[in-house]
């Protein structure tokens, strides 16, 4: 039987690659969503003929309705429209929306009983336990798309239980500013920060890679996904992005997943798990790669990593708060409003404005998100 799929954030870097995989695998695409790029989503609608599609921006949605009036795809608008697409009931909903905007759609898709292929790491960072509890209640799986988490998930196949795992090791490319000290980063430009050495990705995550906030977010994502303590997750800078992450077992055996840096591998695995299929991705040529290097991150210069570790250890709303501060500061930096090192400063400042609670509701997550965004703007503009 043909597998059905919905892609949320289909016009982005991951969304476009997910549709490439879907086409190759012959999946039936039931729903697509975007924020504003009507030209791209129009093309996708014509190619995949989904039952429904949504555009978060209301004006853009009206434009799309006119563009595809000759097709049978129903066009919805706004946040609600995106959530309705998430509820389409596809076998798998792949969420590649960027930022906390992905949280409510993830919960909607879980509620509708779809399995989740998750690229939108901010969903787990901010929503944490709420998302996992909802998934458990519905008996659905959350399969990682993020390359490091896919690597860990793949390295855990055959693991007989959590007591056998000693630690997880996330690899990091180190981003464009690897080897630089704090003083050298004070005046870096947006163009320099957007120049990632190994991966071509959306703008927000590319800046997150330059600050290494991305690795901090991934540490929290891994802690939730695999039920690990933050203390049992280590980070190694691996400049070549070939070893995508590793699992160390109690017998000191280390199992890793390797491959060329191409997101279509983890996307395909999340969509076809537990099966594997032929992929158009280039074969890994280790003889050509020749050298693989590993070293400890510079936690002093890239302060965001340990701020995320601390947020996860403090628990409650702190992960949502550091995520919100980063999303806002990242956006302000991309708009030329603040300097690069204001991003870690904003993430650090978020702790002072966060309510210290152990249990929290979804409403509190969204309240924290908007409070920290406005505090960040107030403090740094
Ligand atoms: P992107 O900016 O290229 O695409 C983001 C998508 O989300 C677009 O389709 C956009 O229309 C949509 N979107 C943005 N704001 C929205 C809103 N308010 N409401 C609804 N839709 C909205 O980003 P990306 O690089 O594809 O990353 C997407 C997610 O995947 C992020 O969470 C990122 O951290 C994660 N991720 C990306 C990569 C990568 O290689 N690009 C790797 C691992 C994880
Ligand atoms: Mg990653």
């Amino acid at each position: 039987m043909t597998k059905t799929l919905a892609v949320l954030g289909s016009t982005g870097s991951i969304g476009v690659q997910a549709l490439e995989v879907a086409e190759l695998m012959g999946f039936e695409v039931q729903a697509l969503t975007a924020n504003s790029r009507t030209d791209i989503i129009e093309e996708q609608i014509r190619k995949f003929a989904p039952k429904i599609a949504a555009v978060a921006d209301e004006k853009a949605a009206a434009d799309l309705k006119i563009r595809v009036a000759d097709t049978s795809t129903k066009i919805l608008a706004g946040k609600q429209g995106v959530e309705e697409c998430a509820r389409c009931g596809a076998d798998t909903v792949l969420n590649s929306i960027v930022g906390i905007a992905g949280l409510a759609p993830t919960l909607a898709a879980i509620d509708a009983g779809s399995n989740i292929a998750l690229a939108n790491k901010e969903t787990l960072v901010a929503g944490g336990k709420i998302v996992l509890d909802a998934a458990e209640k519905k008996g659905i799986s959350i399969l990682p798309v993020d390359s490091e988490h896919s690597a860990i998930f793949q390295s855990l196949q055959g693991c007989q239980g959590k007591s056998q795992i000693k630690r997880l090791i996330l690899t990091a490319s180190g981003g464009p500013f690897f080897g630089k000290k704090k003083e050298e980063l004070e005046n870096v430009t947006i163009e320099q920060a957007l120049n990632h050495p190994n991966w071509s990705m959306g703008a927000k995550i590319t800046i997150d890679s330059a600050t290494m906030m991305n690795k901090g977010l991934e540490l929290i994502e891994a802690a939730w996904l695999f039920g690990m303590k933050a203390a049992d997750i280590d980070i190694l800078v691996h400049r070549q992005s070939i070893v995508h992450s590793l699992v160390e077992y109690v017998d000191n055996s280390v199992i890793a997943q390797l491959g060329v840096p191409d997101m279509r591998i983890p996307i395909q695995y999340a969509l076809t798990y537990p099966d594997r299929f032929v992929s158009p991705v280039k074969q890994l040529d280790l003889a050509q790669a020749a050298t693989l290097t590993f070293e400890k991150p510079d936690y002093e210069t890239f302060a965001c990593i340990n701020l995320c570790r601390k947020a996860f250890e403090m628990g409650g709303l702190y992960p949502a708060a550091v995520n919100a501060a980063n999303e806002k500061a990242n956006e302000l930096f991309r708009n030329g409003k603040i300097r690069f090192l204001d991003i870690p400063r904003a993430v650090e400042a978020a702790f002072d404005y966060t309510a210290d609670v152990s249990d929290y509701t979804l409403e509190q997550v969204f309240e924290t998100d908007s409070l920290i965004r406005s505090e960040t703007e107030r403090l740094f503009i």
Side-chain angles (χ1 to χ4, degrees):
M1 219 172 65
T2 312
K3 182 167 177 167
T4 58
L5 178 70
V7 180
L8 313 180
S10 65
T11 56
S13 158
I14 293 288
V16 166
Q17 296 178 82
L19 286 177
E20 239 180 82
V21 172
E23 186 181 9
L24 199 83
M25 294 279 110
F27 294 155
E28 181 193 325
V29 177
Q30 292 193 331
L32 295 172
T33 82
N35 191 36
S36 57
R37 287 295 302 271
T38 49
D39 51 341
I40 303 178
I41 202 169
E42 176 187 351
E43 219 174 276
Q44 295 175 338
I45 288 170
R46 295 197 182 279
K47 185 162 189 181
F48 293 97
K51 278 191 271 189
I52 48 172
V55 179
D57 182 273
E58 309 261 352
K59 262 200 197 142
D63 169 52
L64 182 66
K65 236 182 191 165
I66 298 166
R67 280 173 177 261
V68 299
D70 61 317
T71 72
S72 58
T73 301
K74 184 175 159 198
I75 304 300
L76 307 170
K79 270 189 199 175
Q80 274 161 327
V82 172
E83 276 180 51
E84 208 173 315
C85 285
R87 283 184 195 279
C88 69
D91 297 329
T92 299
V93 173
L94 184 141
N95 187 348
S96 55
I97 291 173
V98 60
I100 196 164
L103 177 54
T106 299
L107 290 169
I110 293 173
D111 192 48
S114 296
N115 287 317
I116 309 291
L118 191 66
N120 175 239
K121 60 192 82 184
E122 297 90 347
T123 275
L124 269 186
V125 171
K129 199 170 172 329
I130 294 173
V131 175
L132 292 183
D133 285 353
E136 198 187 338
K137 216 167 110 196
K138 282 280 175 182
I140 63 109
S141 327
I142 299 180
L143 296 170
V145 168
D146 214 344
S147 58
E148 296 77 1
H149 305 74
S150 176
I152 289 170
F153 183 59
Q154 294 186 50
S155 303
L156 285 171
Q157 299 304 311
C159 171
Q160 299 298 315
K162 238 175 72 185
S163 62
Q164 307 204 329
I165 306 168
K166 192 187 260 179
R167 62 179 175 138
L168 308 181
I169 305 163
L170 296 172
T171 53
S173 71
F177 302 136
F178 171 75
K180 297 250 187 290
K181 289 287 162 206
K182 240 186 195 160
E183 314 77 73
E184 299 171 82
L185 296 184
E186 198 63 68
N187 294 314
V188 297
T189 64
I190 307 161
E191 290 68 34
Q192 288 170 322
L194 281 174
N195 185 21
H196 196 281
N198 303 345
W199 297 96
S200 158
M201 312 178 283
K204 191 256 176 185
I205 184 177
T206 306
I207 299 298
D208 284 349
S209 301
T211 57
M212 292 193 80
M213 179 72 185
N214 186 47
K215 218 42 61 177
L217 296 174
E218 290 186 350
L219 186 149
I220 299 176
E221 184 189 9
W224 283 121
L225 272 176
F226 304 111
M228 299 293 289
K229 287 190 261 171
D232 295 332
I233 305 175
D234 280 343
I235 290 162
L236 269 183
V237 174
H238 165 50
R239 295 292 284 159
Q240 300 78 21
S241 296
I242 284 174
V243 178
H244 296 300
S245 280
L246 317 89
V247 176
E248 184 176 88
Y249 287 88
V250 285
D251 60 357
N252 289 338
S253 232
V254 177
I255 299 188
Q257 184 256 347
L258 286 72
V260 296
D262 189 318
M263 288 305 294
R264 289 173 301 174
I265 296 179
I267 291 169
Q268 182 171 309
Y269 193 68
L271 296 181
T272 63
Y273 171 81
D275 295 323
R276 289 184 188 272
F277 293 91
V278 172
S279 159
V281 173
K282 241 175 59 192
Q283 229 178 327
L284 174 62
D285 183 347
L286 276 176
Q288 195 200 6
T291 314
L292 301 180
T293 59
F294 301 92
E295 54 205 292
K296 286 207 166 110
D298 174 355
Y299 289 110
E300 163 82 20
T301 303
F302 299 97
C304 289
I305 306 174
N306 278 338
L307 290 169
C308 286
R309 190 183 284 281
K310 178 174 147 190
F312 185 77
E313 281 167 348
M314 287 172 75
L317 293 163
Y318 289 103
V322 292
N323 178 65
N326 177 62
E327 276 193 35
K328 188 71 208 178
N330 180 313
E331 179 197 317
L332 292 172
F333 173 71
R334 277 182 286 135
N335 293 334
K337 301 263 174 65
I338 63 172
R339 297 199 299 174
F340 185 72
L341 289 181
D342 287 336
I343 302 176
R345 289 184 194 116
V347 173
E348 188 165 17
F351 286 85
D352 296 340
Y353 299 91
T354 307
D356 191 8
V357 297
S358 54
D359 232 357
Y360 55 93
T361 63
L362 187 62
E363 288 66 39
Q364 283 174 297
V365 170
F366 288 127
E367 275 164 26
T368 303
D369 183 72
S370 63
L371 171 84
I372 298 295
R373 279 168 191 268
S374 48
E375 286 303 325
T376 302
E377 194 148 11
R378 188 180 64 78
L379 289 169
F380 290 90
I381 293 287

